[in-house]
CSV table of all heavy atoms in Angstrom, one decimal:
chain,number,residue,atom,x,y,z
A,52,GLU,N,95.3,89.0,103.2
A,52,GLU,CA,95.2,88.5,104.6
A,52,GLU,C,93.7,88.4,105.0
A,52,GLU,O,93.4,87.6,105.9
A,52,GLU,CB,95.9,89.5,105.6
A,52,GLU,CG,97.4,89.3,105.6
A,52,GLU,CD,98.1,90.5,106.3
A,52,GLU,OE1,97.4,91.1,107.2
A,52,GLU,OE2,99.2,90.8,105.9
A,53,LEU,N,92.9,89.3,104.5
A,53,LEU,CA,91.5,89.2,104.9
A,53,LEU,C,90.8,87.8,104.6
A,53,LEU,O,90.0,87.4,105.4
A,53,LEU,CB,90.6,90.2,104.0
A,53,LEU,CG,90.6,91.7,104.3
A,53,LEU,CD1,89.6,92.4,103.4
A,53,LEU,CD2,90.2,91.9,105.8
A,54,ARG,N,91.3,87.2,103.6
A,54,ARG,CA,90.7,85.9,103.2
A,54,ARG,C,91.0,84.8,104.3
A,54,ARG,O,90.2,83.9,104.6
A,54,ARG,CB,91.3,85.3,101.9
A,54,ARG,CG,91.0,86.1,100.7
A,54,ARG,CD,91.8,85.5,99.6
A,54,ARG,NE,92.1,86.5,98.5
A,54,ARG,CZ,91.3,86.7,97.5
A,54,ARG,NH1,90.2,86.0,97.3
A,54,ARG,NH2,91.6,87.6,96.6
A,55,GLN,N,92.2,84.9,104.9
A,55,GLN,CA,92.6,83.9,105.9
A,55,GLN,C,92.2,84.3,107.3
A,55,GLN,O,92.4,83.5,108.2
A,55,GLN,CB,94.1,83.6,105.8
A,55,GLN,CG,94.5,82.8,104.6
A,55,GLN,CD,95.3,83.6,103.6
A,55,GLN,OE1,96.1,84.4,104.0
A,55,GLN,NE2,95.1,83.3,102.3
A,56,SER,N,91.8,85.5,107.5
A,56,SER,CA,91.6,86.0,108.9
A,56,SER,C,90.2,85.7,109.4
A,56,SER,O,89.4,85.2,108.7
A,56,SER,CB,91.9,87.5,109.0
A,56,SER,OG,90.9,88.2,108.2
A,57,ASN,N,89.9,86.2,110.6
A,57,ASN,CA,88.5,86.1,111.1
A,57,ASN,C,87.8,87.4,110.8
A,57,ASN,O,86.9,87.8,111.5
A,57,ASN,CB,88.5,85.9,112.6
A,57,ASN,CG,89.2,87.0,113.4
A,57,ASN,OD1,90.0,87.8,112.8
A,57,ASN,ND2,88.9,87.2,114.6
A,58,ALA,N,88.1,88.0,109.7
A,58,ALA,CA,87.5,89.3,109.3
A,58,ALA,C,86.1,89.0,108.7
A,58,ALA,O,85.9,88.0,108.0
A,58,ALA,CB,88.3,90.0,108.2
A,59,ALA,N,85.2,89.9,108.9
A,59,ALA,CA,83.9,89.9,108.3
A,59,ALA,C,83.9,90.7,107.1
A,59,ALA,O,82.9,90.6,106.2
A,59,ALA,CB,82.8,90.4,109.3
A,60,GLY,N,84.9,91.5,106.9
A,60,GLY,CA,85.0,92.4,105.7
A,60,GLY,C,85.8,93.6,106.0
A,60,GLY,O,86.5,93.7,107.0
A,61,ALA,N,85.7,94.6,105.2
A,61,ALA,CA,86.5,95.8,105.3
A,61,ALA,C,85.8,97.0,104.7
A,61,ALA,O,85.0,96.9,103.8
A,61,ALA,CB,87.9,95.6,104.7
A,62,ASN,N,86.2,98.2,105.2
A,62,ASN,CA,86.0,99.4,104.4
A,62,ASN,C,87.3,99.8,103.8
A,62,ASN,O,88.4,99.6,104.3
A,62,ASN,CB,85.6,100.6,105.4
A,62,ASN,CG,84.1,100.8,105.5
A,62,ASN,OD1,83.7,101.2,106.6
A,62,ASN,ND2,83.4,100.5,104.5
A,63,ILE,N,87.2,100.4,102.6
A,63,ILE,CA,88.4,100.9,101.9
A,63,ILE,C,88.3,102.4,101.8
A,63,ILE,O,87.2,102.9,101.3
A,63,ILE,CB,88.5,100.3,100.5
A,63,ILE,CG1,88.4,98.7,100.5
A,63,ILE,CG2,89.8,100.7,99.8
A,63,ILE,CD1,89.5,98.0,101.1
A,64,THR,N,89.3,103.1,102.2
A,64,THR,CA,89.2,104.5,102.1
A,64,THR,C,90.4,105.1,101.3
A,64,THR,O,91.3,104.4,100.8
A,64,THR,CB,89.0,105.2,103.5
A,64,THR,OG1,88.7,106.6,103.3
A,64,THR,CG2,90.2,105.0,104.4
A,65,VAL,N,90.5,106.4,101.3
A,65,VAL,CA,91.5,107.2,100.5
A,65,VAL,C,92.9,106.6,100.9
A,65,VAL,O,93.1,106.4,102.1
A,65,VAL,CB,91.4,108.7,100.9
A,65,VAL,CG1,92.5,109.5,100.3
A,65,VAL,CG2,90.1,109.2,100.4
A,66,PRO,N,93.8,106.3,100.1
A,66,PRO,CA,93.7,106.6,98.6
A,66,PRO,C,93.5,105.3,97.8
A,66,PRO,O,93.9,105.2,96.7
A,66,PRO,CB,95.1,107.1,98.3
A,66,PRO,CG,96.0,106.3,99.2
A,66,PRO,CD,95.2,106.0,100.5
A,67,HIS,N,92.9,104.2,98.5
A,67,HIS,CA,92.9,102.9,97.9
A,67,HIS,C,91.6,102.5,97.2
A,67,HIS,O,91.5,101.3,96.7
A,67,HIS,CB,93.2,101.9,99.0
A,67,HIS,CG,94.4,102.1,99.7
A,67,HIS,ND1,95.6,102.5,99.1
A,67,HIS,CD2,94.8,102.0,101.0
A,67,HIS,CE1,96.6,102.6,100.0
A,67,HIS,NE2,96.1,102.3,101.2
A,68,LYS,N,90.6,103.4,97.1
A,68,LYS,CA,89.3,102.9,96.6
A,68,LYS,C,89.3,102.4,95.2
A,68,LYS,O,88.5,101.5,94.8
A,68,LYS,CB,88.3,104.1,96.7
A,68,LYS,CG,87.8,104.4,98.1
A,68,LYS,CD,86.7,105.5,98.1
A,68,LYS,CE,86.3,105.8,99.5
A,68,LYS,NZ,85.2,106.8,99.5
A,69,VAL,N,90.2,102.9,94.3
A,69,VAL,CA,90.3,102.4,93.0
A,69,VAL,C,91.3,101.2,92.9
A,69,VAL,O,91.0,100.2,92.3
A,69,VAL,CB,90.7,103.5,92.0
A,69,VAL,CG1,91.0,103.0,90.6
A,69,VAL,CG2,89.7,104.6,92.0
A,70,ALA,N,92.4,101.4,93.5
A,70,ALA,CA,93.5,100.4,93.4
A,70,ALA,C,93.0,99.0,94.0
A,70,ALA,O,93.5,98.0,93.6
A,70,ALA,CB,94.7,100.9,94.2
A,71,ALA,N,92.1,99.0,95.0
A,71,ALA,CA,91.7,97.8,95.7
A,71,ALA,C,91.1,96.8,94.7
A,71,ALA,O,91.2,95.6,94.9
A,71,ALA,CB,90.7,98.1,96.8
A,72,ILE,N,90.5,97.4,93.6
A,72,ILE,CA,89.7,96.5,92.7
A,72,ILE,C,90.6,95.4,92.1
A,72,ILE,O,90.1,94.3,92.0
A,72,ILE,CB,89.2,97.4,91.5
A,72,ILE,CG1,88.0,98.2,92.1
A,72,ILE,CG2,88.7,96.6,90.4
A,72,ILE,CD1,87.3,99.2,91.1
A,73,ASP,N,91.9,95.7,91.9
A,73,ASP,CA,92.8,94.7,91.3
A,73,ASP,C,93.0,93.4,92.2
A,73,ASP,O,93.4,92.4,91.7
A,73,ASP,CB,94.2,95.3,91.0
A,73,ASP,CG,94.1,96.3,89.9
A,73,ASP,OD1,93.1,96.3,89.2
A,73,ASP,OD2,95.0,97.2,89.9
A,74,SER,N,92.7,93.6,93.5
A,74,SER,CA,92.9,92.5,94.4
A,74,SER,C,91.6,91.8,94.8
A,74,SER,O,91.6,90.9,95.7
A,74,SER,CB,93.6,93.0,95.7
A,74,SER,OG,94.8,93.7,95.4
A,75,LEU,N,90.5,92.1,94.2
A,75,LEU,CA,89.2,91.5,94.6
A,75,LEU,C,88.8,90.5,93.5
A,75,LEU,O,89.3,90.4,92.4
A,75,LEU,CB,88.2,92.6,94.7
A,75,LEU,CG,88.5,93.8,95.7
A,75,LEU,CD1,87.4,94.8,95.7
A,75,LEU,CD2,88.7,93.2,97.1
A,76,ASP,N,87.8,89.6,94.0
A,76,ASP,CA,87.4,88.5,93.1
A,76,ASP,C,86.2,88.9,92.3
A,76,ASP,O,85.9,88.4,91.2
A,76,ASP,CB,87.0,87.3,93.9
A,76,ASP,CG,88.3,86.8,94.7
A,76,ASP,OD1,89.3,86.5,94.1
A,76,ASP,OD2,88.2,86.9,95.9
A,77,ALA,N,85.3,89.8,92.8
A,77,ALA,CA,84.1,90.2,92.1
A,77,ALA,C,83.7,91.6,92.6
A,77,ALA,O,84.1,92.0,93.7
A,77,ALA,CB,83.0,89.2,92.3
A,78,LEU,N,82.8,92.3,91.8
A,78,LEU,CA,82.3,93.6,92.1
A,78,LEU,C,80.8,93.6,92.0
A,78,LEU,O,80.3,93.0,91.1
A,78,LEU,CB,82.9,94.7,91.2
A,78,LEU,CG,84.4,94.8,91.1
A,78,LEU,CD1,84.8,95.8,90.0
A,78,LEU,CD2,85.0,95.2,92.4
A,79,ASP,N,80.2,94.4,92.9
A,79,ASP,CA,78.7,94.6,92.7
A,79,ASP,C,78.6,95.7,91.6
A,79,ASP,O,79.5,96.3,91.1
A,79,ASP,CB,78.0,94.9,94.0
A,79,ASP,CG,78.2,96.4,94.5
A,79,ASP,OD1,79.0,97.1,93.8
A,79,ASP,OD2,77.6,96.8,95.4
A,80,THR,N,77.3,95.9,91.2
A,80,THR,CA,77.0,96.8,90.1
A,80,THR,C,77.6,98.2,90.3
A,80,THR,O,78.3,98.8,89.4
A,80,THR,CB,75.5,97.0,89.9
A,80,THR,OG1,75.0,95.7,89.7
A,80,THR,CG2,75.2,97.7,88.6
A,81,GLU,N,77.4,98.8,91.5
A,81,GLU,CA,77.9,100.1,91.8
A,81,GLU,C,79.4,100.2,91.7
A,81,GLU,O,79.9,101.2,91.2
A,81,GLU,CB,77.3,100.7,93.1
A,81,GLU,CG,75.8,100.7,93.1
A,81,GLU,CD,75.1,101.3,91.9
A,81,GLU,OE1,75.7,102.2,91.3
A,81,GLU,OE2,74.0,100.9,91.6
A,82,ALA,N,80.1,99.2,92.3
A,82,ALA,CA,81.5,99.3,92.3
A,82,ALA,C,82.0,99.1,90.9
A,82,ALA,O,83.0,99.8,90.4
A,82,ALA,CB,82.1,98.1,93.2
A,83,ALA,N,81.4,98.3,90.1
A,83,ALA,CA,81.8,98.1,88.7
A,83,ALA,C,81.6,99.4,87.9
A,83,ALA,O,82.5,99.8,87.1
A,83,ALA,CB,81.0,96.9,88.1
A,84,ILE,N,80.5,100.0,88.1
A,84,ILE,CA,80.2,101.2,87.3
A,84,ILE,C,81.0,102.4,87.7
A,84,ILE,O,81.6,103.2,86.9
A,84,ILE,CB,78.7,101.6,87.3
A,84,ILE,CG1,77.9,100.5,86.5
A,84,ILE,CG2,78.4,103.0,86.8
A,84,ILE,CD1,76.4,100.7,86.5
A,85,THR,N,81.2,102.6,89.0
A,85,THR,CA,82.0,103.8,89.5
A,85,THR,C,83.5,103.5,89.4
A,85,THR,O,84.3,104.4,89.4
A,85,THR,CB,81.7,104.1,90.9
A,85,THR,OG1,81.9,102.9,91.8
A,85,THR,CG2,80.2,104.6,91.1
A,86,GLY,N,83.9,102.2,89.3
A,86,GLY,CA,85.3,101.9,89.3
A,86,GLY,C,86.0,102.2,90.7
A,86,GLY,O,87.2,102.4,90.7
A,87,ALA,N,85.2,102.1,91.7
A,87,ALA,CA,85.7,102.4,93.1
A,87,ALA,C,85.0,101.6,94.1
A,87,ALA,O,83.8,101.3,94.0
A,87,ALA,CB,85.5,103.9,93.4
A,88,VAL,N,85.7,101.1,95.1
A,88,VAL,CA,85.2,100.2,96.1
A,88,VAL,C,85.4,100.9,97.5
A,88,VAL,O,86.5,101.3,97.8
A,88,VAL,CB,86.0,98.9,96.1
A,88,VAL,CG1,85.8,98.1,97.4
A,88,VAL,CG2,85.5,98.1,94.9
A,89,ASN,N,84.4,100.9,98.3
A,89,ASN,CA,84.5,101.4,99.7
A,89,ASN,C,84.2,100.3,100.7
A,89,ASN,O,84.5,100.5,101.9
A,89,ASN,CB,83.7,102.7,100.0
A,89,ASN,CG,82.2,102.4,100.2
A,89,ASN,OD1,81.7,101.4,99.7
A,89,ASN,ND2,81.6,103.2,100.9
Side-chain angles (χ1 to χ4, degrees):
E52 281 168 29
L53 278 185
R54 297 174 204 268
Q55 283 113 37
S56 67
N57 62 339
N62 266 149
I63 309 291
T64 189
V65 172
H67 303 321
K68 288 185 182 183
V69 174
I72 289 180
D73 293 339
S74 305
L75 304 179
D76 300 300
L78 300 177
D79 78 355
T80 307
E81 300 312 331
I84 288 178
T85 56
V88 161
N89 77 333

